[in-house]
Amino acid sequence: MNVVVIGAQWGDEGKGKIVDYLANEAQIIVRFAGGANAGHTIVIGKEQYALHLIPSGILYPDKMVVLGAGMVIDPTALFGELAMLNERGIDTTGRVFISDRAHIVLPRYIQIDKERDAARKKPIGTTGRGIGITYSMKSDRDGIRIADLSWKEKMGELDKSDSDYLAPYIDRLQAMSIDLSTYLFHHKNAHILFEGAQGTLLDLDLGTYPYVSSGMSCAAGAAVGGCIGPRALDKVLGVFKAYSTRVGNGPFPSEFDADSEDALCQFVRETGREYGVTTGRPRRCGYLDLTALRYACLTNSIDSLVMTHLDIYDTLDEVKACIAYRINDTVVEHFPASVEALNEAQPVLRTFKGWKKNLSKTRTCEEFPAEAMEYIEFIERFCETPIDIVSVGYDRKATIIRRSPWTRR
């Protein structure tokens, strides 16, 4: 069975934790997009791991993980991350593979990335990791893939600085290289998780363009970046937080007002540890945007939702969610493509009574107060999509499965 896990917001929804949890029942985990700009945090007891390139299932000793064709690989970051895992007792030997179609991030791309964003009249706010430049080189057909490392003519076209940089990595990268489509065909009876990066609203085509990432962070990207046909994908899970966050510039209709709601923003940011895993930047925070979440469900054929960070709201007297936008005195119930419209949008809010109970120790939804269940059930009705998993903390154990994703509907 093939299950896709994507972000249903602007990234940072907790995908890493969810993939790590679900990987217990999978044999192979394939990361299908993005690069070292991603930051997936996993907490196991007192141990915390921050992963950027390696798929989240790597912490299980018997799982195979693959960096897919849709990814862009920074060799320095990759081998640094592998070294970190091995130093912490995670044996990765023979368990990490790379699609031979994945592209390589070169050091000069990183410098170009920083300079290009700084030169924009309105910077996008990239992570400066060279991700967008690598995808641009890929689209221009000037990139270099893992498969090209053995192509003498192609390698001969590289600048000396690029060749010198790659030289120490070539043998190690080639040793990890696989034909992903053939590999997955040979494991077609296995449980396979496809792990996304960033989120739907940062997808190059579906997101708030141009304030987006450069890869395919939507569910369709799992087919392309995972080298598998779309009809072979059995289920799509969309991960979202009980509120919304965004890193970098771009429209954010449900963002907390900087003046009247600054205290609420600080509370959510500090309680939810809303700082970038990759950059350390504070995340912008806001109400859960149900209009955007419904859009994510529609554009990704999301079968079920995964709600995280519900426990962050435990102490509040009331909880609010955005159910529409007011744009130029008109109530808009869909998610506009226009950045100008989204910048003008004011959230239409619905208020829910707070549950005033610590949810972090609960392990079933039956233990939830009625107010917490009202919030959950309203989201399900609004998005017409069930919430099958609820996370109430960072640890693996703080995960409530209402319906297993490894069952067919």
Side-chain angles (χ1 to χ4, degrees):
M1 187 172 180
N2 300 318
V3 174
V4 180
V5 177
I6 62 166
Q9 295 168 310
W10 279 282
D12 309 310
E13 302 95 347
K15 297 181 296 299
K17 176 200 168 170
I18 299 305
V19 170
D20 170 75
Y21 185 90
L22 297 178
N24 182 48
E25 296 187 52
Q27 286 78 52
I28 301 168
I29 300 87
V30 180
R31 167 90 178 272
F32 62 82
N37 56 337
H40 295 169
T41 302
I42 301 166
V43 179
I44 306 171
K46 295 182 179 180
E47 295 292 323
Q48 179 170 310
Y49 302 85
L51 302 176
H52 302 281
L53 282 167
I54 307 296
S56 300
I58 191 64
L59 299 182
Y60 293 92
D62 58 339
K63 311 301 178 185
M64 303 297 169
V65 302
V66 184
L67 284 69
M71 289 190 68
V72 290
I73 313 298
D74 179 333
T76 302
L78 172 63
F79 290 111
E81 197 166 309
L82 287 171
M84 175 274 292
L85 289 169
N86 288 319
E87 286 169 5
R88 296 185 63 180
I90 307 298
D91 185 4
T92 63
T93 306
R95 297 199 296 122
V96 182
F97 305 100
I98 307 174
S99 166
D100 54 10
R101 297 177 184 273
H103 278 246
I104 296 173
V105 180
L106 296 171
R108 61 185 174 89
Y109 296 172
I110 297 172
Q111 187 60 34
I112 295 170
D113 190 4
K114 294 176 180 177
E115 292 174 354
R116 183 172 294 182
D117 202 43
R120 290 186 171 103
K121 290 183 179 179
K122 293 186 177 180
I124 292 170
T126 75
T127 59
R129 297 298 182 99
I131 307 303
I133 302 302
T134 310
Y135 278 117
S136 294
M137 297 293 282
K138 175 181 178 178
S139 297
D140 288 341
R141 290 156 292 183
D142 289 321
I144 182 165
R145 306 171 301 163
I146 298 295
D148 300 331
L149 294 173
S150 59
W151 183 8
K152 292 183 178 179
E153 182 181 355
K154 181 68 174 179
M155 295 298 287
E157 296 173 359
L158 296 178
D159 294 341
K160 185 177 184 303
S161 61
D162 293 340
S163 297
D164 290 346
Y165 169 74
L166 287 172
Y169 295 115
I170 290 177
D171 289 345
R172 297 172 73 185
L173 289 169
Q174 288 180 325
M176 299 163 70
S177 173
I178 61 169
D179 176 340
L180 182 53
S181 60
T182 301
Y183 179 80
L184 293 184
F185 177 75
H186 288 158
H187 294 85
K188 61 184 178 181
N189 295 320
H191 277 182
I192 303 173
L193 268 178
F194 291 84
E195 178 184 23
Q198 287 81 50
T200 292
L201 302 180
L202 291 176
D203 182 82
L204 185 60
D205 293 295
L206 300 179
T208 53
Y209 186 91
Y211 300 98
V212 292
S213 188
S214 299
M216 294 182 69
S217 48
C218 60
V224 179
C227 296
I228 193 169
R231 289 192 296 172
L233 301 175
D234 296 297
K235 190 172 287 189
V236 178
L237 274 61
V239 186
F240 75 102
K241 282 189 282 209
Y243 47 91
S244 301
T245 63
R246 176 164 198 164
V247 173
N249 299 326
F252 189 0
S254 67
E255 187 170 13
F256 296 138
D257 184 88
D259 297 321
S260 61
E261 294 161 326
D262 185 62
L264 181 57
C265 179
Q266 288 301 316
F267 170 80
V268 170
R269 181 178 291 149
E270 296 304 322
T271 308
R273 301 190 220 173
E274 296 298 348
Y275 294 87
V277 177
T278 302
T279 64
R281 289 182 295 182
R283 295 173 184 147
R284 299 158 64 190
C285 301
Y287 300 109
L288 173 60
D289 188 335
L290 290 175
T291 305
L293 184 60
R294 181 169 57 191
Y295 168 77
C297 291
L298 292 172
T299 53
N300 291 280
S301 298
I302 290 176
D303 295 290
S304 67
L305 289 164
V306 179
M307 185 184 209
T308 66
H309 289 238
L310 182 60
D311 55 302
I312 303 305
Y313 276 161
D314 284 353
T315 61
L316 299 185
D317 294 324
E318 62 180 26
V319 172
K320 296 180 181 180
C322 171
I323 59 171
Y325 310 128
R326 189 173 297 279
I327 304 174
N328 298 325
D329 297 324
T330 300
V331 174
V332 176
E333 296 182 341
H334 68 276
F335 189 74
S338 167
V339 168
E340 183 179 32
L342 287 169
N343 282 334
E344 292 291 328
Q346 297 298 314
V348 177
L349 300 174
R350 176 180 174 117
T351 301
F352 301 83
K353 185 179 179 182
W355 40 90
K356 307 288 285 185
K357 177 183 176 180
N358 183 352
L359 300 183
S360 64
K361 301 299 181 183
T362 58
R363 294 297 177 261
T364 67
C365 283
E366 286 71 26
E367 300 173 67
F368 283 2
E371 294 82 1
M373 286 308 303
E374 180 186 352
Y375 190 52
I376 291 171
E377 290 167 358
F378 180 86
I379 296 167
E380 291 180 311
R381 292 193 301 271
F382 190 95
C383 296
E384 298 184 40
T385 308
I387 296 174
D388 285 351
I389 302 175
V390 180
S391 171
V392 290
Y394 297 97
D395 195 87
R396 275 180 185 166
K397 296 177 181 178
T399 310
I400 298 169
I401 306 295
R402 302 177 77 198
R403 180 184 175 93
S404 171
W406 299 112
T407 58
R408 300 179 188 274
R409 291 202 178 279

